[in-house]
Amino acid sequence: MASIGKLLRDFRSGDQHSVWNRQALLAPETIQLSSGDFNDGGRIPATHSGKGVGNNLSPQLSWTGTPEVTAQLLLIIEDTDVPLPRPIIHTMALLDPAHSELPTGGLDPKTAGLVFLPASFWRRGYEGPRPLPGHGPHHYGFYLFALPTAISNASKIKNVSQLIKVISGQILARGHLTGVQER
């Protein structure tokens, strides 16, 4: 696998295709998102890596700066360095705005006030980093968006494109955190 990673080293989906840069999701960047498990731009510990590489345990996340009128929060985790035309969405989750943090392992279906949406490859739940060996560093964006109304038909959303259509132009505020991992 490392030789495939090395062959594809120059191929990356790129930030230009990131959900963070979609016109429909632009908003003031007033949410401060952080983690007690890694610093912004720092290495994501292996325990948070995906199945087969780590324990697939979500990192601790906390945030401030969500507007008082926030009805729901949307968390998206994506890898913008995959050797594909578009980034891979690892996780999409809707959160009750009463949350201001998730503990380590808190991105779990048993967490109250959390609903997972289908991410890439129709996966639901936390899918930790699992970059292609030898491909170089991968940047994982943790993006948090404040929504003015709760998504009432969340069970009907099948992918990120449908989600963006539903929330287009409605983002109150947003914030991001980036972690890096390499194998």
Side-chain angles (χ1 to χ4, degrees), residues 34-39 43-45 48 57-61 103-105:
S34 62
S35 175
D37 293 325
F38 65 94
N39 294 323
R43 186 180 175 286
I44 299 171
H48 305 298
L57 191 65
S58 63
Q60 183 274 340
L61 297 170
T104 300

Side-chain angles (χ1 to χ4, degrees), residues 28-35 61-66 100 142 144 173-177:
E29 294 179 30
T30 57
I31 298 174
Q32 294 80 42
L33 183 59
S34 62
S35 175
L61 297 170
S62 58
W63 52 90
T64 60
T66 56
S100 61
F142 291 72
L144 191 65
R174 64 188 195 152
H176 68 91
L177 170 69

Side-chain angles (χ1 to χ4, degrees), residues 45-122:
T47 191
H48 305 298
S49 295
K51 297 171 188 159
V53 178
N55 298 334
N56 202 43
L57 191 65
S58 63
Q60 183 274 340
L61 297 170
S62 58
W63 52 90
T64 60
T66 56
E68 286 185 28
V69 295
T70 301
Q72 196 167 49
L73 296 166
L74 167 65
L75 177 68
I76 296 177
I77 304 171
E78 80 175 343
D79 176 355
T80 59
D81 288 307
V82 295
L84 296 170
R86 299 262 180 241
I88 288 181
I89 305 290
H90 278 250
T91 302
M92 287 198 311
L94 296 170
L95 300 161
D96 185 303
H99 285 289
S100 61
E101 75 172 303
L102 291 169
T104 300
L107 276 172
D108 183 284
K110 296 174 192 154
T111 299
L114 185 146
V115 175
F116 285 107
L117 301 173
S120 295
F121 310 112
W122 305 279

